[in-house]
Amino acid sequence: MKKTITDYNYNGKKVIIRCDLNVPIENGIITDDTRIKESLKSIKYLIDNNAKTIILSHLGKIKTQEDKSENTLYPVYIKLREYLNTNVYFSRETRGESLEELVNNLKEKDVLLVENTRFEDFPDKLESNCDEKLSKYWASLGDIFINDAYGTCHRAHASNVGIAKNLPNGIGFLVEKEITKLDEILNEDTHPYTVVMGGKKVSDKTLMIDNLITKCDYLLLGGGMCFTFLKSQNYNVGKSIVDNDNLIYCKNLMNKYRDKIILPVDIVTNNKNIREISSISDNESGFDIGPQTIELFTDILKKSKRVIINGPMGVFEEEGFSNGTKKIYEIIKEKHIKTLIGGGDSAASVNKLGFANDFFHISTGGGATLEYLSGTILPGIAVIEEK
Ligand code: ADP
Ligand code: MG
């Protein structure tokens, strides 16, 4: 068991908490503040326990000087002031005298949000490369470190792994909830156990299958995930998404696990035709699973005792291509199947299609959840002390 936020006494202590405040911002306006709201539980716990709270987070990616003005956490600071009933300060610097002065002036229950940790990525990638000097410097600002940024736990960056190596540490409420739910469903010995994969980050996801497939009874492939497999079986997939680098890998998987891997038998194309998979033409792309596939997948889901879903079954954002994704969620709801869903877009699809309360757990992390599911020990969690 990892140490958690409730394992320390915070009276008057400077606590660095790594949150995931990576919210979508358009023209300076936050368009969805879910991640801020989800981070409040741990932040408020620290405030209630008289800590001096220093919040670190990344926002987007910083590759050029210009990226900095578009990825400032300042709008998040304004939001935090709305949500937190205490003094909230903002440091425009990610290191140096002005930051240190703000830290040293903090009183109990005060909160300081520090500018985007990835500002340290330009020009030298110090944050993303877990630079030792930067990690030690950030750690020197606090007494205790809490990691509550689940979405970046699969990365070893200075602001999570680097600081944790240099301070007493624990995980926050969000990370604790995520791994408890994931462990519960992964370690349960109920079968059939079915994994459903879709979405479009095909190369990342394909390579995770190796480990997942050994544990599950069925792997249902839809969305953009199925076409590399179909092509490896010599079907013409037209202009659908294909990961040509992994064709042989997929072919080998098909040979080895032909009984477990279930591919679509028909699809809905970009021009809204329903095609058997043997009759997709050169200039068509598959954008959703077809009615016979829905039936096939539904039959397997109906008898499944636990299900993990990663990635939507089609381009659900457009009405004409949301049916497959919706029908899969309907059967899960109707049959009360214990289902964990992970991935940023998957979570969005559940909300958009009206199934937000029908799952055992909706994981907030995309890459982190997928790596956890595939058996990787996440560095951001591995670095935390055991109880
Ligand atoms: P997640 O964030 O849930 O892990 P991904 O990021 O891999 O999922 O992919 C989500 C995106 O995949 C959605 O925006 C959806 O429109 C797109 N998508 C789903 N099916 C297809 C398809 N057949 N062709 C192209 N894009 C697709
Ligand atoms: Mg995504």
Side-chain angles (χ1 to χ4, degrees):
M1 285 275 276
K2 293 291 178 185
K3 281 202 173 163
T4 76
I5 190 167
T6 56
D7 288 324
Y8 291 96
N9 181 337
Y10 296 108
N11 246 331
K13 295 264 169 59
K14 285 181 274 184
V15 183
I16 302 174
I17 180 165
R18 174 61 161 95
C19 293
D20 180 2
L21 303 173
N22 183 32
V23 289
I25 298 180
E26 276 165 33
N27 303 320
I29 311 280
I30 298 171
T31 52
D32 177 359
D33 68 352
T34 310
R35 285 187 167 146
I36 299 178
K37 286 199 202 126
E38 283 178 337
S39 303
L40 293 177
K41 188 173 174 195
S42 290
I43 296 171
K44 284 183 174 165
Y45 182 85
L46 295 175
I47 297 170
D48 290 345
N49 284 279
N50 302 322
K52 300 171 178 174
T53 304
I54 302 160
I55 305 175
L56 296 183
S57 174
H58 76 284
L59 181 70
K61 289 194 174 131
I62 306 293
K63 290 180 176 154
T64 62
Q65 187 62 31
E66 292 74 61
D67 285 342
K68 293 192 178 179
S69 55
E70 279 164 31
N71 289 286
T72 169
L73 279 171
Y74 190 80
V76 173
Y77 158 65
I78 300 296
K79 252 302 173 247
L80 279 177
R81 280 191 2 185
E82 276 173 37
Y83 284 130
L84 297 173
N85 192 13
T86 190
N87 295 323
V88 184
Y89 303 95
F90 182 63
S91 170
R92 294 207 173 260
E93 305 295 332
T94 47
R95 69 168 113 181
E97 268 176 42
S98 71
L99 167 63
E100 290 154 29
E101 202 179 306
L102 282 163
V103 168
N104 290 330
N105 287 335
L106 288 176
K107 310 218 167 34
E108 286 179 15
K109 296 186 186 290
D110 284 355
V111 172
L112 170 66
L113 174 67
V114 179
E115 183 57 284
N116 187 354
T117 53
R118 288 192 185 159
F119 276 27
E120 293 288 345
D121 271 351
F122 183 78
D124 292 324
K125 285 201 152 252
L126 298 180
E127 154 77 327
S128 295
N129 286 338
C130 201
D131 179 74
E132 205 180 317
K133 250 170 89 182
L134 178 63
S135 305
K136 288 202 163 129
Y137 171 72
W138 276 339
S140 75
L141 301 175
D143 303 307
I144 299 168
F145 174 71
I146 298 297
N147 185 10
D148 207 24
Y150 175 69
T152 47
C153 279
H154 60 313
R155 305 272 181 242
H157 290 173
S159 66
N160 58 355
V161 171
I163 301 177
K165 280 185 179 161
N166 291 288
L167 280 180
N169 56 51
I171 52 176
F173 292 119
L174 259 185
V175 172
E176 187 185 23
K177 183 173 167 198
E178 289 280 1
I179 58 175
T180 307
K181 293 282 186 180
L182 279 158
D183 283 343
E184 183 182 332
I185 202 158
L186 283 176
N187 299 333
E188 189 175 300
D189 194 22
T190 50
H191 294 271
Y193 162 32
T194 301
V195 175
V196 184
M197 283 180 115
K200 66 175 177 194
K201 280 195 201 148
V202 182
S203 45
D204 291 357
K205 296 186 180 192
T206 306
L207 295 170
M208 305 282 173
I209 293 177
D210 242 2
N211 183 289
L212 275 174
I213 194 90
T214 59
K215 306 202 168 93
C216 69
D217 303 298
Y218 297 104
L219 174 66
L220 312 183
L221 293 176
M225 282 296 293
C226 58
F227 300 105
T228 311
F229 285 82
L230 288 169
K231 190 170 174 187
S232 83
Q233 303 302 294
N234 300 320
Y235 288 104
N236 177 16
V237 296
K239 291 199 164 65
S240 308
I241 302 186
V242 172
D243 176 10
N244 281 309
D245 294 339
N246 278 317
L247 279 171
I248 296 183
Y249 169 88
C250 292
K251 190 173 180 171
N252 290 339
L253 277 174
M254 286 302 290
N255 287 339
K256 200 164 166 195
Y257 298 104
R258 196 163 288 277
D259 299 339
K260 282 192 181 183
I261 302 177
I262 315 291
L263 296 175
V265 289
D266 59 351
I267 56 146
V268 181
T269 63
N270 56 314
N271 39 14
K272 302 205 172 138
N273 288 318
I274 296 169
R275 297 265 187 246
E276 307 262 325
I277 46 161
S278 52
S279 53
I280 303 172
S281 53
D282 290 347
N283 55 3
E284 288 179 319
S285 322
F287 272 10
D288 195 7
I289 52 174
Q292 289 183 63
T293 306
I294 292 173
E295 217 168 288
L296 177 70
F297 284 9
T298 303
D299 283 343
I300 294 171
L301 288 169
K302 267 186 193 161
K303 59 182 180 189
S304 300
K305 291 282 181 294
R306 62 192 154 118
V307 173
I308 285 175
I309 301 184
N310 181 269
M313 291 293 96
V315 184
F316 71 91
E317 296 91 340
E318 290 179 45
E319 195 154 329
F321 309 111
S322 65
N323 193 44
T325 308
K326 199 167 150 195
K327 285 283 169 8
I328 298 294
Y329 298 164
E330 269 173 14
I331 196 71
I332 282 162
K333 177 177 179 175
E334 189 188 315
K335 299 281 170 196
H336 306 287
I337 306 163
K338 187 169 191 175
T339 302
L340 183 144
I341 185 159
D345 295 287
S346 302
S349 72
V350 167
N351 292 330
K352 183 172 188 312
L353 302 172
F355 296 87
N357 300 314
D358 301 312
F359 287 81
F360 162 70
H361 183 57
I362 301 170
S363 175
T364 52
T369 300
L370 205 60
E371 294 214 12
Y372 201 91
L373 293 173
S374 73
T376 312
I377 299 170
L378 307 182
I381 295 170
V383 72
I384 301 297
E385 295 162 41
E386 296 290 329
K387 280 201 194 197

